[in-house]
Amino acid sequence: MSDLTFPLIGDKAPEFTATTTHGPINFPGDYKGKWVVLFSHPADFTPVCTTEFMAFQKRKAQFNELNAELIGLSIDQVFSHIKWVDWIKDNMDMEIEFPIIADHGAIAEKFGMIHPGQGSSTVRAVFIIDPKGIIRLILYYPAEIGRNMEEILRVIKAFQVAEDKKVAMPANWPINDFLGDKLIVPPAKSVKDAKARLADTSINCYDWWFCTRDQ
Ligand code: BEZ
């Protein structure tokens, strides 16, 4: 255990300015009104990280369609990032079009991307930050397991549908093994509400605390 503190779900994301492969960025100022996927990787020129960057790049347009921007980060020099993305372009025929932060450790520490038991590199962390700058999801993956970008896209879509329709999302949304494509009505906040639910013909309740509705 350590006494490090770092932001959690629901907290305002820390502000930072950074050197990146696309020049300096200022967060949140440069990303106002956008969803941001800020993710760290252990090091440039490593195989799992290379597959992750290519997987993010392949889906960049899908993230952008959701009003989301990708930002990578590791504790490497910007020259290393530049050589690495050049290598990916030359050898894998893929241009990495999102910025990669060259951090000295200060941003990684603010976000809790360095886990002392895992050495001095950043772990595979993902922060999904909403257009108001609030951290909505945090993922940590170990060095030997590459992340699933479809899941990161799924979560952003799920947040947007949940907010729009005032619902919650079941396991494996958009298709749950038991509920199919039905959405979950958030828990009742009063006894009156709970009773009203059971009489509401527009929703289907297994019980007062477990109600679903069509999309
Ligand atoms: C990789 O990306 O392949 C990797 C990075 C750090 C440790 C182990 C694997």
Side-chain angles (χ1 to χ4, degrees):
M1 286 287 279
S2 79
D3 55 6
L4 289 176
T5 58
F6 36 77
L8 299 173
I9 287 175
D11 289 347
K12 193 110 186 137
E15 297 179 5
F16 61 83
T17 53
T19 300
T20 84
T21 47
H22 290 194
I25 61 170
N26 173 16
F27 179 88
D30 294 343
Y31 291 87
K32 281 227 151 62
K34 290 189 177 289
W35 290 81
V36 171
V37 178
L38 173 65
F39 68 96
S40 56
H41 64 284
D44 298 347
F45 294 100
T46 51
V48 177
C49 300
T50 302
T51 61
E52 290 192 318
F53 269 66
M54 293 178 67
F56 270 126
Q57 176 60 39
K58 186 174 170 206
R59 294 162 181 80
K60 182 178 177 293
Q62 287 172 266
F63 281 103
N64 293 164
E65 274 163 30
L66 295 172
N67 188 32
E69 297 291 336
L70 299 167
I71 311 175
L73 178 152
S74 72
I75 301 176
D76 283 297
Q77 299 271 335
V78 76
F79 310 107
S80 167
H81 289 334
I82 292 167
K83 291 306 284 179
W84 185 38
V85 296
D86 271 356
W87 186 94
I88 295 172
K89 172 98 177 68
D90 293 346
N91 293 276
M92 302 300 207
D93 200 22
M94 184 172 269
E95 184 135 11
I96 301 301
E97 294 173 314
F98 52 85
I100 313 170
I101 294 173
D103 188 24
H104 297 293
I107 302 169
E109 271 182 21
K110 274 190 187 184
F111 277 84
M113 294 166 166
I114 301 169
H115 295 188
Q118 300 299 306
S120 55
S121 309
T122 42
V123 295
R124 298 187 198 282
V126 180
F127 290 80
I128 296 182
I129 302 166
D130 75 14
K132 292 189 177 131
I134 303 297
I135 295 173
R136 303 292 294 276
L137 173 135
I138 304 171
L139 287 173
Y140 293 124
Y141 268 54
E144 64 272 32
I145 311 291
R147 287 159 282 195
N148 183 328
M149 286 59 192
E150 291 296 327
E151 170 62 0
I152 299 167
L153 273 171
R154 185 189 80 98
V155 171
I156 299 174
K157 282 183 205 156
F159 277 133
Q160 294 180 357
V161 175
E163 266 167 37
D164 184 38
K165 302 195 167 176
K166 311 277 179 273
V167 289
M169 312 323 242
N172 293 326
W173 177 83
I175 300 296
N176 174 266
D177 303 331
F178 305 102
L179 304 179
D181 64 359
K182 292 202 172 359
L183 304 172
I184 292 177
V185 181
K189 291 210 170 80
S190 67
V191 174
K192 191 171 157 222
D193 226 23
K195 281 192 178 141
R197 247 163 220 231
L198 294 173
D200 184 346
T201 53
S202 73
I203 61 176
N204 174 50
C205 291
Y206 295 98
D207 206 328
W208 63 270
W209 53 270
F210 189 172
C211 298
T212 66
R213 51 163 274 200
D214 292 336
Q215 302 239 30

